[in-house]
Amino acid sequence: MSKNNIVTAASDVAANLVGAFPKSVKAAHEFENYNEYLNANRPSTKQLEDERTTPLNPAPLISVAMVCVGESDSKMDATLVSLLAQTYTNWELCIAFELSKTGLERFNSLEKIRIVLSDGTDKELIALAQEQLRGAYFLMLSPGDRLAPDAMYSVAQAMLANRQAEVFYMDEDSVTDEGERHSPIFKPDYGPDTMLSYNMTGKPLFVAKRVHEKVGGYIGTGKNDLWEYTIKCMRAAKGVVHIARVGLSTPEEGSNRNMNLHDMRKRLDTILSERKPVGNSFAGEIENTCRIRYPKKKQPSVGIVIPNVDDANLLARCIESIEQQSNSDCIRIFVADNGQEGETKQNYLRALKRNKVATLVEVEASSSMPRILNDCAKQAISDVLLFLNGSSEILSPGFPEQLTELVLRKDTGAVGGKILDAGGNILSVGTVIGLGGWAGSPYTGTPDDEEDWLKCTFTKVQRNVSAVSGAFMAIGGETFFNSGLFDETITGVGWDTELCIRLMRRGLYNCFTPYAVVRLNGTLPDYAKASAGNLTRCYDAYRQTLLAGDKYYNFNFDPASSVPMLAVNPYPPITLNQNYKG
């Protein structure tokens, strides 16, 4: 192992070169049953009429800003028609046109609309437009954008129900000139790591006036401008609310596609320099994404905890991969020893101890997995604890840095890496609570490829998750002990997810990173094989999330499928759980 304790500038440059040529994503994701979903979830005529005749009180004024330069009248009119069809009536609109624009007489009779005529850049025009607006919330649209008729009403309801929140966003899709809707983007709830990886919120974005003014208003109308503005708003807001339904159709294919990443990285670096820990942006693994790294002046101590594994050859392969893929001398390895292994295994363990490769921690043969891990962690007092399945092989060079730079941030709970099976298929890319009625990883058993944009947002970007697998989990030592360690009453499966839930309840963010990868020569715990008592404890721990749905997994996805599919009639995952009594 290297004796270099410093994350050098050279290592950051090397990391940037690795990510300098991000992979292309084959296509946007298309759901086969999207039209069926739209028909089933479209508001009825009665619902729309009820909203029109039942105004909300209070009804905050929503200000809409738009720049229209060189766009066709048909696009402008499509947006205007969608605004006039809103069941929520307390809104205003200011449109900035180029000075030479004619044919604006059709707007004269529309009291809610102001017109600005001027020459200048889009940044100057959007600034002129927002100067005319006096609302409590701001929304920017582009010509051709079409709001769902109940979009503003739904957002206003969310504003009244979440008085502390100051940013609201909805799902979106694309629309052809003929009105055919396609390429929906069903988004996760806000996560700070996800937001820095790509523009996860897109449009429509409703921002409270306080936050809008605090960040300096709209920066411009381009996609990079929207991403930068959104990040600043999210950081300044007291709360962010995601409304998991399609509220906007845009003529462009996705707000998070076709970005200028070179320009965006410059903007991200400026944003990241304003708050500790200071981070640096790099090109992400796939196009239109970034990776944020958090360099440290010195390497923290890392205690790698490996529970008992029957096969000495697998354990040897695991430890060799740690040595080969680490560039730090601050690592110590702790291996559980129950004293009842075969002669070959015991000889290998004694060799590890004799050669000071690993510290052996005596554990009782009857101990549960969380008990074994807790006993080892108590011996492995370190800045960072890494729990690692003994049947795994580390595939990522410099893997400690990929994990520790994320773990040691003050708001971080557990950090998990990507787990692949022996054939290179996905075993875990973060845990979704509710899959199959219990918990599991999206895309389990599928190739680790760039099949479509949706898949890549789960498997190829650094993002926030509800939980990570204990087979490859890093956590700050102080955080682990202050959180009460693993719950030893959860014996077979779910002890890792339960800890992550406790971390979230403390206000910490759990995170998945695709830049730390292991290959597992075995299997992960299976809920189908768990005891009734084990499942009862898991149900108690998961119940709240099972009722509401995992916030990082869109509620419109069918929890019965590990590959995201639309539920024509969305339902809470708890209904799939065998312990649920209705």
Side-chain angles (χ1 to χ4, degrees):
M1 297 184 187
S2 167
K3 294 183 179 181
N4 180 13
N5 289 337
I6 301 175
V7 179
T8 64
S11 68
D12 281 340
V13 170
N16 194 26
L17 289 175
V18 171
F21 303 101
K23 298 175 183 177
S24 297
V25 181
K26 295 178 183 177
H29 186 85
E30 295 293 348
F31 295 96
E32 294 181 358
N33 61 341
Y34 187 49
N35 285 332
E36 185 182 359
Y37 167 86
L38 288 175
N39 291 332
N41 293 279
R42 184 176 288 115
S44 66
T45 301
K46 182 181 185 306
Q47 178 184 336
L48 296 177
E49 186 58 32
D50 287 345
E51 290 177 1
R52 290 190 178 94
T53 57
T54 312
L56 298 174
N57 184 22
L61 176 61
I62 298 175
S63 293
V64 184
M66 183 158 47
V67 170
C68 188
V69 176
E71 299 285 0
S72 66
D73 287 347
S74 61
K75 278 191 174 182
M76 181 68 253
D77 290 346
T79 301
L80 185 58
V81 167
S82 78
L83 283 167
L84 294 173
Q86 292 299 299
T87 59
Y88 184 82
T89 59
N90 196 24
W91 58 267
E92 61 177 358
L93 166 67
C94 184
I95 313 170
F97 289 99
E98 70 270 30
L99 192 59
S100 60
K101 180 66 176 176
T102 60
L104 301 179
E105 296 81 6
R106 66 187 190 282
F107 296 105
N108 292 341
S109 62
L110 301 175
E111 297 180 358
K112 294 179 179 290
I113 300 176
R114 301 185 184 92
I115 301 296
V116 173
L117 292 173
S118 180
D119 285 331
T121 64
D122 66 333
K123 182 176 181 179
E124 293 168 336
L125 289 173
I126 194 66
L128 289 172
Q130 62 187 331
E131 285 177 2
Q132 303 296 316
L133 301 173
R134 298 293 180 267
Y137 291 86
F138 283 75
L139 167 69
M140 182 170 63
L141 296 177
S142 301
D145 289 347
R146 307 179 191 186
L147 284 170
D150 60 337
M152 284 191 181
Y153 197 95
S154 298
V155 172
Q157 284 181 314
M159 291 171 181
L160 298 180
N162 301 272
R163 298 299 182 98
Q164 293 299 311
E166 295 178 294
V167 175
F168 300 81
Y169 66 100
M170 304 181 75
D171 299 335
E172 63 182 289
D173 64 12
S174 299
V175 63
T176 66
D177 292 339
E178 295 74 27
E180 181 181 353
R181 294 169 63 179
H182 62 97
S183 305
I185 302 176
F186 290 96
K187 306 165 186 176
D189 281 9
Y190 169 65
D193 291 300
T194 317
M195 191 69 222
L196 292 172
S197 295
Y198 69 101
N199 188 359
M200 53 160 282
T201 58
K203 298 190 295 184
L205 185 75
F206 298 78
V207 179
K209 183 176 182 178
R210 183 195 74 82
V211 174
H212 180 78
E213 293 180 344
K214 182 178 178 63
V215 304
Y218 292 122
I219 301 163
T221 61
K223 291 187 176 182
N224 284 12
D225 300 320
L226 177 61
W227 191 2
E228 179 183 355
Y229 170 77
T230 304
I231 293 171
K232 290 180 176 179
C233 289
M234 299 294 190
R235 290 187 159 206
K238 296 176 183 176
V240 179
V241 171
H242 167 223
I243 302 166
R245 51 187 306 253
V246 178
L248 180 76
S249 300
T250 173
E252 297 182 85
E253 190 181 281
S255 302
N256 46 26
R257 305 272 291 179
N258 303 317
M259 309 288 296
N260 182 336
L261 262 296
H262 179 73
D263 170 62
M264 194 59 215
R265 283 182 49 211
K266 290 182 179 180
R267 302 184 190 212
L268 282 174
D269 286 339
T270 300
I271 294 172
L272 291 166
S273 68
E274 297 171 351
R275 183 182 298 186
K276 291 183 179 181
V278 175
N280 298 319
S281 67
F282 298 93
E285 187 174 346
I286 56 169
E287 60 187 355
N288 302 305
T289 66
C290 286
R291 177 190 181 185
I292 309 301
R293 303 205 64 186
Y294 300 90
K296 304 175 295 298
K297 292 182 179 180
K298 65 178 183 178
Q299 288 282 9
S301 60
V302 179
I304 300 181
V305 174
I306 303 175
N308 209 359
V309 59
D310 294 334
D311 193 318
N313 291 326
L314 290 180
L315 179 59
R317 195 181 304 174
C318 176
I319 292 178
E320 288 171 4
S321 73
I322 294 172
E323 296 176 320
Q324 292 168 358
Q325 304 291 13
S326 173
N327 58 359
S328 170
D329 62 354
C330 296
I331 286 177
R332 295 183 300 157
I333 300 173
F334 296 81
V335 179
D337 178 14
N338 64 17
Q340 294 188 358
E341 301 295 343
E343 183 177 353
T344 301
K345 176 69 178 298
Q346 282 298 316
N347 287 338
Y348 178 67
L349 291 178
R350 284 192 290 268
L352 291 177
K353 181 178 180 180
R354 183 172 60 251
N355 296 323
K356 298 183 179 180
V357 173
T359 298
L360 303 186
V361 180
E362 293 184 6
V363 297
E364 295 181 6
S366 59
S367 293
S368 65
M369 180 61 72
R371 174 71 178 273
I372 291 172
L373 295 174
N374 287 342
D375 287 348
C376 290
K378 292 171 185 176
Q379 301 296 317
I381 301 298
S382 305
D383 296 324
V384 175
L385 293 170
L386 172 58
F387 300 100
L388 181 64
N389 187 297
S391 299
S392 61
E393 295 176 73
I394 304 287
L395 302 182
S396 306
F399 75 94
E401 292 175 12
Q402 326 299 336
L403 297 167
T404 58
E405 66 185 27
L406 298 174
V407 166
L408 293 177
R409 299 171 303 169
K410 67 176 182 178
D411 295 331
T412 302
V415 176
K418 182 183 294 185
I419 305 175
L420 304 177
D421 66 17
N425 295 317
I426 293 169
L427 284 177
S428 181
V429 287
T431 299
V432 171
I433 300 173
L435 281 188
W438 291 106
S441 172
Y443 294 99
T444 298
T446 68
D448 184 25
D449 56 20
E450 296 77 42
E451 179 181 355
D452 60 43
W453 175 254
L454 178 63
K455 183 174 186 177
C456 289
T457 61
F458 282 98
T459 64
K460 303 290 185 180
V461 300
Q462 211 157 267
R463 63 188 181 89
N464 296 107
V465 293
S466 289
V468 296
S469 171
F472 191 28
M473 173 195 286
I475 184 172
E478 185 175 342
T479 300
F480 181 69
F481 288 105
N482 287 344
S483 299
L485 296 77
F486 291 115
D487 187 337
E488 296 178 12
T489 67
I490 302 179
T491 54
V493 64
W495 41 269
D496 44 5
T497 299
E498 189 277 334
L499 172 63
C500 290
I501 291 173
R502 275 187 279 135
L503 294 171
M504 284 198 299
R505 288 175 179 165
R506 292 183 57 197
L508 302 177
Y509 289 97
N510 300 315
C511 180
F512 161 75
T513 176
Y515 304 106
V517 186
V518 299
R519 176 170 54 230
L520 183 65
N521 300 297
T523 59
L524 295 175
D526 188 348
Y527 286 89
K529 299 178 181 178
S531 67
N534 186 177
L535 293 179
T536 297
R537 287 290 296 113
C538 289
Y539 182 77
D540 291 341
Y542 302 176
R543 188 175 186 278
Q544 183 176 347
T545 305
L546 293 174
L547 281 167
D550 190 314
K551 65 180 181 178
Y552 298 118
Y553 196 71
N554 194 287
F555 188 76
N556 293 288
F557 293 148
D558 190 340
S561 172
S562 63
V563 175
M565 299 176 60
L566 281 183
V568 172
N569 297 296
Y571 59 95
I574 198 169
T575 59
L576 297 175
N577 193 288
Q578 66 203 53
N579 286 26
Y580 180 59
K581 305 304 181 184

